[in-house]
């Protein structure tokens, strides 16, 4: 199966390729990020270049780093960036979750203070909003609490450290409202917390190996936040659900793009290992190619329906499909290496230092273990078949 571009999409793709030819992405191997909450100077400059060129968030208007493109063109853009191995941002939770939440649910002041600097690569984020229960519609209570003391809003509590928390400058988190906080009837608030503020205890950093706190926790010890730190005070639950939706979309699109690149690397690995004529390897690669193209076609169909204003139940299937696809591709790469599949020092499907084939496979297994497949299956049933989750 081969997907062909329409005239508008082909023009969009050509414009992207021409712009990337004129603006080669920097190579940051000499100054890699310390975590997903850290942006080296070269990464900040590159993200600012994408923003000013309208190639950071193509679906958004020019003032927000885009060019008012449609969802199909946006997926085309993501594929083009992945094919060239060009990063959009090294702080993905800031770009793909925090900025959209602030743009969609924040005030003009919050967008100016936090969303625009995020898009320009000036500030970085971690995200502490994933409190989804075992089944759709369920939610585990957040570990942070918001109270009002002597006229100040104060957040306290602890949670397992989200990715990037040791280096990020800001945190978008959910908090349980416990004492007399004005501004809305809900008992859940979404907050912007400055991680450099007094009372913030970050996850253990390498230079602080003698710290007494749990190295895997982010702790807020009576951290004072301003009234403008609450995002949409009357609708905290809606903000959390929007953030989860953005997080799921970012996750499955990343998986799909990684699976496409890893499949190309698998073919190259098989050829280098003399497996091109092995019937088992050929059947494995063919099946993975069909499934990968099928997931890609499903994604384009979903975005096309979304662009035309029609419901896109396919979006409910893609998180599970791409999760299983990545796991299978990386397992095939590990098996193609034979006994060398146990060697974590060998190159993997992506450029150094992303990890070896078995490292990616184990990471995919770990993600499957933390994201219950039954949850995704029930979400599909609820969206596609109209059945309530049980």
């Amino acid at each position: 199966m081969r997907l062909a571009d329409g005239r508008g999409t082909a023009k969009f793709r050509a414009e992207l390729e021409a712009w990337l030819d004129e603006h080669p992405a920097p190579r940051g191997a000499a100054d890699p990020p310390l975590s997903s909450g850290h942006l080296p100077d070269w990464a900040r400059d590159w993200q600012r270049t994408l923003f000013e060129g309208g190639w950071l968030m193509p679906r958004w208007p020019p003032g927000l780093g885009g060019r008012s493109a449609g969802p199909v063109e946006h997926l085309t853009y993501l594929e083009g960036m992945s094919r060239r191995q060009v990063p959009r941002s090294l702080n993905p939770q800031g770009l793909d979750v925090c900025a959209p939440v602030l743009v969609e649910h924040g005030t003009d002041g919050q967008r100016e203070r936090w969303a625009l600097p995020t898009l320009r690569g000036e500030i970085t984020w971690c995200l502490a909003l994933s409190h989804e229960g075992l089944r759709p519609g369920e939610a585990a209570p957040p570990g942070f609490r918001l109270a009002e003391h002597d006229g100040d809003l104060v957040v306290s509590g602890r949670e397992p450290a989200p990715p990037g928390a040791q280096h990020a400058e800001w945190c978008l988190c959910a908090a349980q409202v416990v004492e007399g906080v004005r501004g809305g009837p809900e008992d859940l608030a979404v907050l912007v917390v400055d991680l450099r503020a007094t009372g913030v205890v970050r996850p253990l950093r390498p230079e602080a190996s003698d710290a007494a706190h749990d190295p895997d926790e982010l702790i807020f010890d009576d951290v004072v936040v301003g009234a403008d730190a609450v995002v949409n005070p009357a609708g905290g639950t809606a903000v959390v659900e929007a953030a989860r939706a953005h997080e799921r979309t970012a996750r499955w699109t990343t998986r799909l793009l990684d699976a496409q690149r890893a499949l190309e690397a698998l073919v190259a690995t098989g050829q280098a290992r003399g497996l091109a004529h092995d019937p088992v390897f050929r059947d494995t690669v063919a099946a993975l190619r069909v499934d990968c193209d099928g997931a890609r076609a499903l994604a384009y169909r979903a975005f096309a329906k979304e662009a035309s204003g029609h419901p896109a139940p396919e979006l409910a299937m893609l998180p599970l499909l791409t999760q299983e696809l990545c796991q299978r591709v990386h397992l095939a790469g590990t098996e193609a290496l034979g006994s060398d599949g146990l060697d974590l020092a060998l190159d993997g499907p992506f450029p150094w230092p992303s990890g070896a084939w078995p490292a990616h496979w184990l990471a995919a297994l770990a993600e499957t273990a933390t994201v219950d497949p039954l949850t995704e299956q029930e979400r599909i049933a609820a969206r596609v078949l109209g059945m309530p989750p049980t």
Side-chain angles (χ1 to χ4, degrees):
M1 177 175 60
R2 180 176 180 85
L3 297 177
D5 289 335
R7 183 175 302 174
T9 304
K11 179 182 178 182
F12 178 88
R13 191 188 298 275
E15 291 174 352
L16 171 62
E17 297 292 337
W19 189 89
L20 290 174
D21 287 340
E22 295 175 2
H23 302 81
R27 300 300 177 185
D31 187 18
L34 302 176
S35 74
S36 65
H38 171 242
L39 286 181
D41 289 342
W42 66 267
R44 293 179 186 269
D45 293 342
W46 172 242
Q47 186 170 328
R48 179 66 177 260
T49 299
L50 289 170
F51 175 85
E52 293 176 347
W55 289 111
L56 182 67
M57 299 285 279
R59 290 184 64 176
W60 286 4
L64 294 174
R67 51 190 55 230
S68 302
V72 172
E73 286 75 19
H74 189 79
L75 184 55
T76 300
Y77 157 78
L78 294 177
E79 286 187 324
M81 298 290 277
S82 175
R83 188 179 305 109
R84 289 199 179 209
Q85 301 176 22
V86 175
R88 296 168 59 229
S89 172
L90 301 186
N91 180 224
Q93 61 268 31
L95 178 61
D96 290 325
V97 182
C98 298
V101 164
L102 289 166
V103 168
E104 295 167 3
H105 296 274
T107 63
D108 290 342
Q110 289 170 334
R111 296 186 196 100
E112 187 69 28
R113 182 179 179 187
W114 290 305
L116 284 174
T118 301
L119 295 170
R120 291 193 292 258
E122 296 169 2
I123 60 176
T124 62
W125 295 80
C126 68
L127 184 68
L129 286 175
S130 298
H131 303 288
E132 202 159 4
L134 294 179
R135 301 182 183 280
E138 292 183 356
F144 298 126
R145 301 173 303 280
L146 180 66
E148 186 173 353
H149 294 161
D150 300 326
D152 291 327
L153 293 180
V154 177
V155 59
S156 303
R158 60 180 62 203
E159 283 203 1
Q166 65 269 48
H167 298 108
E169 295 152 323
W170 298 88
C171 178
L172 189 68
C173 69
Q176 200 77 23
V177 177
V178 294
E179 296 178 28
V181 177
R182 300 183 299 272
E186 293 207 15
D187 58 358
L188 186 68
V190 174
L191 308 170
V192 175
V193 179
D194 188 344
L195 295 182
R196 298 153 295 185
T198 301
V200 174
V201 183
R202 298 183 187 235
L204 189 59
R205 300 191 188 196
E207 64 270 20
S209 58
D210 58 342
H213 71 278
D214 189 325
D216 296 323
E217 284 190 325
L218 175 63
I219 302 171
F220 295 154
D221 186 9
D222 291 337
V223 178
V224 177
V225 297
D228 63 341
V230 182
V231 182
N232 190 6
T237 300
V239 178
V240 170
E241 291 303 319
R244 287 179 186 159
H246 285 297
E247 196 172 13
R248 282 195 297 269
T249 298
R251 188 180 298 122
W252 73 252
T253 52
T254 299
R255 288 199 206 109
L256 177 59
L257 298 172
D258 284 352
Q260 290 175 332
R261 286 177 55 195
L263 185 54
E264 294 174 359
L266 175 61
V267 172
T269 297
Q271 291 173 339
R273 296 260 167 174
L275 299 175
H277 298 288
D278 181 278
V280 175
F281 180 77
R282 291 166 65 93
D283 286 349
T284 299
V285 170
L288 289 171
R289 170 55 66 191
V290 169
D291 290 345
C292 194
D293 284 351
R296 179 171 178 257
L298 196 66
Y300 269 101
R301 175 179 172 82
F303 280 139
K305 292 172 71 174
E306 185 182 63
S308 62
H310 293 89
E314 296 89 347
L315 291 173
M317 304 177 187
L318 285 163
L320 180 60
L321 289 177
T322 55
Q323 179 180 321
E324 294 180 346
L325 180 59
C326 265
Q327 183 177 323
R328 290 169 51 214
V329 174
H330 293 135
L331 174 59
T334 302
E335 292 177 336
L337 296 177
S339 60
D340 288 339
L342 300 176
D343 189 351
L344 297 181
L346 293 178
D347 291 338
F350 310 123
W352 185 91
S354 69
W357 280 103
H360 283 279
W361 175 51
L362 292 173
L365 285 175
E367 184 179 8
T368 301
T370 56
V371 181
D372 188 352
L374 182 60
T375 302
E376 298 292 351
Q377 290 169 359
E378 290 182 343
R379 184 176 289 115
I380 292 172
R383 287 283 302 273
V384 181
L385 304 177
M387 297 168 56
T390 57

